[in-house]
Amino acid sequence: MDYKLVPSVCSYCGTGCGLLYRVVNGKITGTWPMKSHPVNQGKLCIKGWNMHQFINSDIRLKFPLIKLNGHFKRATWDKAIGYAAKKFQEVVQRYGPESIGVLVSAKVSNEENYLAQKLARAALGTNNVDHCARL
Amino acid sequence: MQKRVRKWLEEEVVDVFVAYIEQKGHILPHVFSPDSLEECALLHPGLQRYPLEEIALELAEEDPELRIGILARECTKRSLNVLSTWNQLDQGQLIPMEVSCCPSLLQEHARCSYLNPDQPGELKTLYGLDPNACTQEVEALEQEELYSHWTYEFSKCIKCYGCRDICPLCFCRECSLEHTDLVHTGEMLTEVPIFHLVRAVHMAGRCIDCGLCEEACPVNIPLRLLYRKVNEIIVKTFDYYTGTDMETAPLNILGQEIACQANPL
């Protein structure tokens, strides 16, 4: 049997609390706060305490889906991104780039947030960029 | 201790050993196994405490034949006693290695995170309760004052359920704190005082006074003090000292006997 305790960082918000995942045979079974972590010092909020639940959730999105005729269909990444790009181009051509807004997230890394605003400003041509922490 | 654990694993006294490891400057719980004996050199008695019993429970659930060695402080031993009296764990499966956690000049430091508790600040002294106080000190307060101080403490709760989640004795599959008749889940603010009193009632004859709940509380509610009071009632009523021996908890016996008797009507 394989039992591991894996240190990690909570991905729910920008605070960055230290977590310990209990991993039994490759499956995460529980979350503990990391007591020696300088940020949270052994304390967590309810979201942090339940981090293992969304990882194992049945309704978690694991691959790209495209909605066709009201139904979601599994697609490859290339196809899904291509489809999204085509739709964005259509919107930009018809209504202008200012019609698009990009909302970035505390659940992704700083670098990913940077890339998202780069996509918005350089590729889409809009300054409408905001962050979920400001909502 | 590192050598003893290595020896236990080498001589197959135990199949796995649950303790702490020093890793990248952190002391983290770890399951030592004979496959990686070199890790034993990094074993640490740990200043931080985690509910190691929960790891042991999960291991035992996966493999009932597994012999599990466990680093056992005084509080760990008490909780192992309680877990086995409540039929959650087979004592024979567990081999505790005792670690002295008492403060002494012969030890570099007392091996417990609880021995240097936070001192209450000005606001907490004025409106709340000193978590280091004993129950008699608290009860010496006037009724009204006592009520307002406990209400102040309870109303800080952010309902993180951390006290329940860290508790080594909270083993129930269904939790009263998620029962919609008692507690409204997903709603803030916390119902004062029902949320904390529901948990307090369930801690009677179960709480082994390890203080992990209080350590995990983000808003410093003096939970240990509350559960100490509950256990005091158990001592007074049933002469039962939770976790000190293998005696069955009085509340456990009562439940079974009433369930077994025919209804007199």
Side-chain angles (χ1 to χ4, degrees):
Chain A
M1 186 188 358
D2 183 33
Y3 194 108
K4 272 192 284 200
L5 287 125
V6 183
S8 185
V9 176
C10 183
S11 63
Y12 263 120
C13 78
T15 309
C17 294
L19 301 173
L20 266 186
Y21 287 124
R22 305 202 297 277
V23 185
V24 187
N25 293 330
K27 194 175 176 195
I28 297 180
T29 58
T31 318
W32 275 339
M34 217 161 121
K35 299 233 171 183
S36 47
H37 201 277
V39 173
N40 57 323
Q41 300 171 2
K43 294 150 205 276
L44 280 178
C45 74
I46 188 160
K47 293 202 278 183
W49 269 108
N50 292 291
M51 280 291 286
H52 59 282
Q53 291 194 359
F54 87 78
I55 294 169
N56 295 322
S57 172
D58 291 339
I59 53 169
R60 186 175 173 184
L61 195 59
K62 290 173 187 147
F63 33 75
L65 301 170
I66 293 176
K67 200 172 190 179
L68 283 172
N69 306 325
H71 293 284
F72 281 112
K73 270 202 158 164
R74 189 172 174 168
T76 60
W77 278 107
D78 284 346
K79 209 172 162 193
I81 292 170
Y83 185 73
K86 201 181 97 195
K87 288 281 170 188
F88 275 133
Q89 274 168 354
E90 278 173 28
V91 172
V92 171
Q93 267 165 20
R94 205 158 155 203
Y95 303 104
E98 287 297 304
S99 61
I100 296 181
V102 174
L103 195 61
V104 292
S105 167
K107 287 197 73 166
V108 301
S109 66
N110 268 339
E111 291 74 11
E112 285 167 313
N113 276 329
Y114 173 80
L115 289 173
Q117 68 83 31
K118 189 113 178 167
L119 176 81
R121 296 204 166 102
L124 296 169
T126 174
N127 276 325
N128 300 330
V129 185
D130 211 340
H131 188 271
C132 80
R134 275 185 11 123
L135 290 177
Chain B
M1 169 160 289
Q2 294 164 346
K3 282 180 196 155
R4 266 174 74 199
V5 172
R6 199 186 165 105
K7 211 171 151 202
W8 275 20
L9 288 168
E10 274 174 347
E11 292 173 3
E12 293 182 1
V13 181
V14 290
D15 297 320
V16 287
F17 194 88
V18 187
Y20 300 98
I21 196 168
E22 201 170 349
Q23 216 175 47
K24 292 172 192 157
H26 292 282
I27 312 278
L28 302 173
H30 187 71
V31 180
F32 294 85
S33 76
D35 306 330
S36 43
L37 283 171
E38 71 284 352
E39 282 178 348
C40 292
L42 298 170
L43 188 135
H44 198 283
L47 189 59
Q48 269 91 24
R49 294 177 303 150
Y50 289 86
L52 294 182
E53 308 86 330
E54 258 180 66
I55 301 179
L57 273 177
E58 273 187 320
L59 287 168
E61 200 179 323
E62 280 290 311
D63 184 358
E65 301 288 310
L66 200 73
R67 283 162 305 151
I68 306 159
I70 185 166
L71 182 92
R73 290 190 167 87
E74 287 290 322
C75 50
T76 321
K77 277 191 286 178
R78 288 199 298 271
S79 88
L80 291 177
N81 280 343
V82 174
L83 283 171
S84 91
T85 53
W86 287 80
N87 305 321
Q88 297 300 309
L89 206 63
D90 179 9
Q91 280 278 42
Q93 199 184 350
L94 269 143
I95 304 148
M97 183 182 284
E98 288 169 23
V99 55
S100 161
C101 42
C102 77
S104 151
L105 289 175
L106 298 171
Q107 259 175 195
E108 215 172 297
H109 52 67
R111 284 169 180 151
C112 181
S113 50
Y114 208 78
L115 287 160
N116 296 313
D118 289 342
Q119 295 303 316
E122 236 168 85
L123 193 72
K124 199 169 168 77
T125 319
L126 204 58
Y127 298 110
L129 292 158
D130 179 2
N132 314 314
C134 64
T135 47
Q136 284 83 5
E137 275 169 27
V138 174
E139 277 166 13
L141 291 170
E142 290 289 322
Q143 262 315 304
E144 242 171 65
E145 213 180 345
L146 193 62
Y147 183 78
S148 83
H149 283 225
W150 272 116
T151 311
Y152 166 78
E153 292 290 355
F154 289 156
S155 61
K156 291 190 294 183
C157 179
I158 60 161
K159 230 171 165 184
C160 72
Y161 286 75
C163 47
R164 177 200 67 176
D165 291 340
I166 199 86
C167 181
L169 284 322
C170 273
F171 49 74
C172 302
R173 299 259 168 198
E174 271 176 52
C175 180
S176 303
L177 293 181
E178 287 172 16
H179 197 290
T180 43
D181 288 345
L182 295 168
V183 171
H184 298 288
T185 50
E187 263 178 44
M188 283 293 277
L189 305 157
T190 318
E191 297 92 329
V192 176
I194 190 77
F195 184 89
H196 296 90
L197 294 191
V198 165
R199 191 171 137 79
V201 167
H202 285 239
M203 281 293 109
R206 250 203 231 191
C207 175
I208 45 103
D209 199 29
C210 66
L212 282 175
C213 46
E214 206 172 284
E215 269 184 31
C217 183
V219 290
N220 299 327
I221 301 171
L223 293 165
R224 197 181 196 185
L225 186 66
L226 177 67
Y227 306 144
R228 266 189 190 158
K229 177 63 200 168
V230 179
N231 262 359
E232 242 174 52
I233 299 169
I234 293 289
V235 170
K236 222 183 262 174
T237 321
F238 301 103
D239 193 29
Y240 175 75
Y241 292 83
T242 314
T244 46
D245 54 32
M246 293 293 290
E247 206 183 329
T248 313
L251 297 178
N252 206 4
I253 304 172
L254 280 173
Q256 281 170 356
E257 281 186 2
I258 288 171
C260 292
Q261 272 169 10
N263 193 331
L265 294 171

